[in-house]
Amino acid sequence: MRIGLLTEGGYPYLSGDAGLWCDRLVRGLGQHEFDVYALSRAEHQENAGLVELPPQVKRVRRAPLWTAEDDGVTYGRRARRRFAESYGALVAALCEGDPPEPADAPGAAPAPQTDRFASALYGLAELARDEGGLVGALRSESAVRALERACRAPGALRTAREARVPDLLAVAEHLERALRPLSLRWYEADGGNGNDGGEGLGAVDLCHATSGGAAALPGLLARHFFEVPLLVTEYGVRLRTHYLSSGITPSPAGSTGSAGSTGTPSGGAGSTEPAAPAASPAPGTPAVRALVAAFHNRLAAEVYRQADCVTPGNTHARRWQERCGADRAKLRTVYPGMQASRFAEVGDSSDTADPHTLVWVGRVEPAKDLVSLLHAFAELRREEPRARLRIVGAPTGAEGQAYLGHCKMLAAQIFPDEADGPHAVGDNPVSFEEIGGPEAPTLAEVYASGAVVVLSSVVEGFPVGLVEAMFCGRATVSTDVGAVVEVIGGTGLVVPPRNPRALAEACVALLRDPERRVRLGAAARARALELFTVEQNITAFHGIYLELVSRAPVRRFLFDDGEPRPFAVPAEACLPGHWTGQDARATARRGPSWAAGPPVRGTSPVAATEGAR
């Protein structure tokens, strides 16, 4: 099988999101071929180079999202009219407000705005394919004027009608960046006659987008032009990220996440597990925020509508996808796959941890609410004076650095250095460390040092640090946010967020009951090995690949005149594996040699009878 892997800002670049997850997936499915179509987010990402690619990656095509040179295409009168009609319809759909709530019934008709947006999007894609690009047209004055007409039209949103010239320019610039994938030369067919050597998305058997948004847009066009099946994986819901960055925070029914949650996986210190691509910073004015959010709303609705399967990374993300328009029948939860082998030694060995030590592991940022953790530890120390707290992790960006400094000052105020006597050196019960230091050489050793692992977040998507602790067989105390309850599944204690007293009481209960800690740790490790390993992730995607391709219509195996070519694919070529050899695979692409001529027309029974006489 030939898979078109669509990425944005990650694999196969050395730096970026979801690189490790994609690399494990590609290496684990050696029986398939992969064509990687990668969109980069920054110049430094391009300059850093690519990871070492396995042999099943046959080709890599890259394109930058952070810049686009003017294509130099000059439209004729007819092309300008096509652009004005399609672009005008697209921006008009953005100004008409949000579509109604998605219908629960599968196959329900899309909202008029969604249908109008989709038609306009595909019209622009066809124009870019016919004329050689859209960059110049999207940057033209006619695009800004079309946006202004849509904002001033009767029935437009009030916030859209309030847009001024700077707002219109900002929205037009955002749309130009977001629609850059339409101008890529990725949408070639494989020649239309089954010959091997196709270089475009029309030659793949399946498109797998590793996130929504820009990464899924080429998959949408491949499905539109060539009916290639589309699989979309979201470990963090992209549309929700845009809502939050725009100040729009709709909450799905039953969600346990905080209103500020991004829904992205949150790795432990040094973790490189999957994460949702970051959204671009939200513009300032309400008009710009509303129109940009409307664009991503329409795009997500079309991606969910056209995708043959959508795989969220947890139920928390799944609820958001349903809230944003995904058909429940298309959703398959596939948990992120994590490497359990690096924690095997800790998980298999007997518990040698200090029975009075708590461990926190993660990225240091305000969403982790270390302030509440420090206050909870102060209450815990009144009950357990010998308790110690290890905070292990690195800050993220300037905000993380400032937050780390604040937490260190708070810890120094709450816990003055303690000494055993007047001539002894004082010691603080709270330590701040980073992986690789003398006290924390490896992540596994950090988890092994603690009797209880604590998570105090107010914002969390998929809690990677908790899964790592579960692999190590450690009992955990966590706040009820994001997918925490789903991941823990009764193998740890869960308390409300921003509640230091409840967090302290749960930690004290486990510190005073070593037998309970052992039972919970063993159950947690068994659950993690069953649900969250790389092997289960690869097996799940392999099954989905085969299922989607088996349901896809047969295409490409045609004669030059469009007639179907009989017996073009030998049956053994449909079986997984390379045991059939290259000859059979080549035959599957170009058809058998005896079928190379024109089709033989059947004769009528009467003519055949007369010929026999």
Side-chain angles (χ1 to χ4, degrees), residues 357-370:
T357 298
L358 303 178
V359 171
W360 180 95
V361 179
R363 293 190 294 264
V364 179
E365 56 190 6
K368 304 305 180 182
D369 199 14
L370 294 180

Side-chain angles (χ1 to χ4, degrees), residues 381-393:
R381 288 269 294 178
R382 298 190 185 102
E383 302 290 334
E384 295 289 331
R386 293 182 295 173
R388 302 187 64 84
L389 173 62
R390 298 184 67 186
I391 296 177
V392 182

Side-chain angles (χ1 to χ4, degrees), residues 225-589:
F225 289 130
F226 312 111
E227 297 184 353
V228 177
L230 174 61
L231 167 64
V232 179
T233 296
E234 285 189 306
Y235 285 120
V237 181
R238 187 65 180 273
L239 178 58
R240 188 185 186 209
T241 307
H242 283 287
Y243 273 145
L244 297 175
S245 64
S246 302
I248 304 171
T249 55
S251 296
S255 173
T256 58
S258 167
S261 172
T262 62
T264 58
S266 177
S271 175
T272 51
E273 294 304 324
S280 56
T285 67
V288 177
R289 291 200 302 267
L291 291 172
V292 168
F295 171 80
H296 292 288
N297 183 305
R298 304 292 188 275
L299 179 59
E302 181 61 14
V303 168
Y304 291 147
R305 185 164 71 100
Q306 295 297 339
D308 295 87
C309 183
V310 180
T311 55
N314 53 73
T315 304
H316 180 65
R318 180 177 181 136
R319 286 196 297 266
W320 266 100
Q321 289 171 336
E322 291 182 11
R323 169 67 179 81
C324 296
D327 183 357
R328 189 173 301 174
K330 294 181 179 180
L331 297 176
R332 306 273 189 87
T333 301
V334 178
Y335 294 116
M338 298 174 56
Q339 197 67 259
S341 57
R342 58 178 176 156
F343 306 107
E345 183 177 353
V346 176
D348 292 333
S349 62
S350 58
D351 190 358
T352 58
D354 182 348
H356 307 289
T357 298
L358 303 178
V359 171
W360 180 95
V361 179
R363 293 190 294 264
V364 179
E365 56 190 6
K368 304 305 180 182
D369 199 14
L370 294 180
V371 171
S372 291
L373 176 60
L374 291 173
H375 285 294
F377 186 64
E379 292 199 23
L380 181 149
R381 288 269 294 178
R382 298 190 185 102
E383 302 290 334
E384 295 289 331
R386 293 182 295 173
R388 302 187 64 84
L389 173 62
R390 298 184 67 186
I391 296 177
V392 182
T396 55
E399 185 182 29
Q401 290 281 3
Y403 187 69
L404 177 60
H406 172 71
C407 292
K408 287 182 176 180
M409 289 188 355
L410 180 62
Q413 292 172 1
I414 299 177
F415 309 104
D417 289 351
E418 302 171 351
D420 295 333
H423 303 291
V425 177
D427 183 26
N428 196 299
V430 179
S431 62
F432 292 85
E433 309 165 35
E434 291 189 23
I435 297 295
E439 301 296 330
T442 66
L443 197 57
E445 291 178 332
V446 170
Y447 288 116
S449 67
V452 177
V453 175
V454 187
L455 183 143
S456 57
S457 302
V458 295
V459 171
E460 200 73 40
F462 186 86
V464 172
L466 275 188
V467 177
E468 293 170 343
M470 293 167 71
F471 281 135
C472 294
R474 290 298 180 263
T476 59
V477 176
S478 314
T479 48
D480 186 5
V481 292
V484 165
V485 172
E486 180 183 2
V487 168
I488 292 298
T491 66
L493 303 187
V494 180
V495 300
R498 295 192 179 96
N499 192 330
R501 177 174 297 179
L503 189 63
E505 291 175 354
C507 291
V508 168
L510 289 183
L511 289 178
R512 290 178 173 178
D513 193 344
E515 293 184 358
R516 187 183 185 191
R517 291 202 309 266
V518 172
R519 289 196 306 270
L520 288 176
R525 184 165 188 263
R527 179 176 176 82
L529 292 175
E530 179 183 359
L531 297 178
F532 307 122
T533 61
V534 174
E535 291 75 19
Q536 68 81 23
N537 182 271
I538 292 172
T539 300
F541 278 117
H542 179 58
I544 292 173
Y545 285 176
L546 294 178
E547 179 183 345
L548 293 183
V549 171
S550 69
R551 298 203 309 251
V554 177
R555 46 190 186 82
R556 298 199 302 270
F557 301 114
L558 304 174
F559 286 109
D560 292 335
D561 61 358
E563 290 293 323
R565 176 175 293 172
F567 311 109
V569 183
E572 60 270 19
C574 298
L575 298 177
H578 289 285
W579 64 272
T580 54
Q582 294 298 324
D583 293 339
R585 296 174 66 82
T587 300
R589 290 286 179 192

